[in-house]
Amino acid sequence: MPTTLKEFESVWPRLLEDLTEHCKAYKLPQQSLDWFRRQLQYNTVGGKCNRGMSVIDTSALLLNKELTEEEYFRSAALGWMIELLQAFFLVSDDIMDSSKTRRGAPCWYRVPEVKMIAINDAFMLEASIYVLLKKHFRQEKSYVDLIELFHEVTFQTELGQLCDLLTAPEDEVDLSNFSLEKFTFIVIFKTAYYSFYLPVALSLHFCGFATEKNLNTALDILIPMGEYFQAQDDYLDAFADPEVLGKIGTDIMDNKCSWLINQALKKVTPEQKKILEDNYGQKNSEREAKVKALYHELKLAEFYEQWEEERVADLRAKIDKVDESEGLKKEVFETFLKKIYKRSK
């Protein structure tokens, strides 16, 4: 049975205490300690935790058994380290994007007494990963591999963010700066590595199956899967019913270098391109409607649906070829694909 959010969240208090004790050893003044605990709670807990829970579910599949209490805790601890990484990215990202809300609450930097202290808080969220990793995994043969994996994926994500910020600044619309190549780079580096590859790679190390061959197979399947996931996200942003999606799409107004705008730019006539240039990336619902109307005219929804079938067929062909001789299982990838194929939110 896949783990539940409630089970996963039950591990968090123990990790919060580990971080608290670590600070107490330095005699951190109580006011600062209370602040650190509060921001850890505010920024790390409350999301869907899909990345973190994937470590546990993948470990159970790889070991082909129900995890013992200790195995569950240790794989969940690795999962929470991804959630800390996610929190570090989100707190920083919200400042860079001047965002207002996150998970239905004010972004951390917009909490009145926080402001730019949030920058230091983001650093502390990232540093917490390595405090927990040392406490719980220092004795493992894979300890250095785990450290290097977190460092490498963090750097990859930051490269993706850099490319995104330079390609699509919110206040400066220049569609000639967009391309499918840039979209692909941004998506792979900003999302696919830490959201798809990292949970499985951590689980392979945890279970003792992190051979070079298995890690390469995981990369070969999960990076294109992450790219598909983001294209799907961009499609839903423009075409899904906001009631079902649970949010109102903002990619057009936010000048996002999305899959849809890049496909549109490949298909437009000069007249249609002018419509995009005049209306894309504007904080105006009438202009947004003009872009959406053009997306319909270009039949981008139908194009996406056909592209999705081709992409999923490619992924299934890759999954079918997975060599299970070194402990990797096709089911790991099938589970990921099943969660995202034809999703509506």
Side-chain angles (χ1 to χ4, degrees):
M1 279 293 290
T3 191
T4 64
L5 184 57
K6 192 176 175 190
E7 288 167 334
F8 182 62
E9 287 183 337
S10 73
V11 170
W12 172 249
R14 187 170 154 190
L15 300 174
L16 184 60
E17 286 316 305
D18 289 339
L19 292 166
T20 303
E21 291 308 310
H22 194 74
C23 292
K24 282 181 178 172
Y26 294 131
K27 299 187 168 54
L28 181 69
Q30 192 64 41
Q31 179 193 18
S32 302
L33 183 61
D34 291 344
W35 180 286
F36 181 43
R37 284 176 60 94
R38 178 187 166 205
Q39 78 101 345
L40 277 165
Q41 193 69 24
Y42 193 99
N43 294 309
T44 314
V45 183
K48 296 191 287 287
C49 294
N50 289 333
R51 296 169 184 83
M53 292 192 295
S54 293
V55 181
I56 301 163
D57 292 340
T58 302
S59 298
L61 285 172
L62 290 173
L63 296 172
N64 199 24
K65 69 185 184 82
E66 197 173 321
L67 301 178
T68 64
E69 201 174 316
E70 181 62 11
E71 286 167 341
Y72 186 94
F73 169 75
R74 290 168 69 71
S75 57
L78 289 170
W80 276 110
M81 290 175 215
I82 305 182
E83 296 302 324
L84 283 162
L85 185 65
Q86 162 86 334
F88 159 56
F89 291 147
L90 296 183
V91 170
S92 311
D93 204 27
D94 287 341
I95 297 170
M96 289 181 249
D97 292 348
S98 307
S99 300
K100 292 185 169 58
T101 60
R102 168 74 63 187
R103 296 169 180 163
C107 297
W108 179 240
Y109 82 100
R110 287 183 68 93
V111 172
E113 64 275 27
V114 178
K115 301 188 178 70
M116 287 304 118
I117 298 173
I119 296 172
N120 193 63
D121 290 335
F123 298 159
M124 291 186 74
L125 288 163
E126 185 195 20
S128 297
I129 296 165
Y130 301 99
V131 172
L132 294 174
L133 208 48
K134 184 175 180 182
K135 179 169 177 66
H136 296 289
F137 290 89
R138 193 167 190 277
Q139 74 285 6
E140 301 293 334
K141 288 202 299 286
S142 60
Y143 178 56
V144 173
D145 291 321
L146 291 169
I147 292 173
E148 288 185 350
L149 179 61
F150 269 107
H151 280 316
E152 193 59 36
V153 170
T154 302
F155 188 61
Q156 287 163 326
T157 309
E158 289 160 354
L159 290 176
Q161 173 74 340
L162 175 65
C163 188
D164 193 17
L165 291 167
L166 295 176
T167 302
E170 252 192 80
D171 51 356
E172 192 185 317
V173 183
D174 178 6
L175 297 184
S176 67
N177 211 4
F178 287 4
S179 68
L180 268 175
E181 289 71 28
K182 280 188 185 172
F183 164 80
T184 302
F185 183 89
I186 291 165
V187 169
I188 288 173
F189 281 78
K190 190 179 170 181
T191 303
Y193 277 112
Y194 94 96
S195 301
F196 286 81
Y197 174 68
L198 181 59
V200 173
L202 287 173
S203 188
L204 284 166
H205 282 293
F206 176 70
C207 297
F209 299 140
T211 61
E212 192 179 348
K213 184 177 179 182
N214 284 347
L215 290 168
N216 283 334
T217 301
L219 265 179
D220 191 43
I221 295 170
L222 293 165
I223 296 306
M225 198 182 289
E227 192 189 339
Y228 156 50
F229 175 83
Q230 187 60 54
Q232 183 186 52
D233 219 47
D234 295 350
Y235 161 79
L236 291 171
D237 185 273
F239 291 106
D241 176 351
E243 293 283 313
V244 178
L245 193 59
K247 62 177 183 179
I248 294 164
T250 59
D251 285 0
I252 294 170
M253 285 197 203
D254 291 347
N255 190 35
K256 285 281 162 55
C257 180
S258 78
W259 187 86
L260 288 172
I261 185 66
N262 281 296
Q263 295 296 350
L265 287 167
K266 282 176 71 177
K267 296 173 187 299
V268 286
T269 63
E271 293 76 20
Q272 289 171 324
K273 188 173 184 187
K274 182 88 171 70
I275 294 171
L276 288 177
E277 286 170 344
D278 291 347
N279 296 287
Y280 198 78
Q282 308 294 325
K283 305 282 188 208
N284 176 311
S285 53
E286 284 170 20
R287 291 187 171 199
E288 180 192 43
K290 286 181 182 173
V291 175
K292 282 193 178 176
L294 185 55
Y295 283 178
H296 283 288
E297 201 180 309
L298 294 168
K299 295 191 162 44
L300 284 186
E302 294 87 331
F303 179 76
Y304 166 78
E305 282 157 19
Q306 183 190 339
W307 177 89
E308 177 179 44
E309 292 309 320
E310 288 167 9
R311 175 53 60 102
V312 170
D314 285 348
L315 287 167
R316 285 186 175 139
K318 284 185 173 185
I319 293 167
D320 282 343
K321 290 197 187 100
V322 169
D323 179 352
E324 298 187 335
S325 65
E326 294 180 7
L328 191 54
K329 295 208 168 48
K330 293 175 185 179
E331 204 181 337
V332 168
F333 306 110
E334 287 162 355
T335 304
F336 268 81
L337 188 55
K338 203 160 96 183
K339 280 182 194 162
I340 59 176
Y341 179 55
K342 294 286 185 196
R343 71 190 169 101
S344 58
K345 58 181 179 180

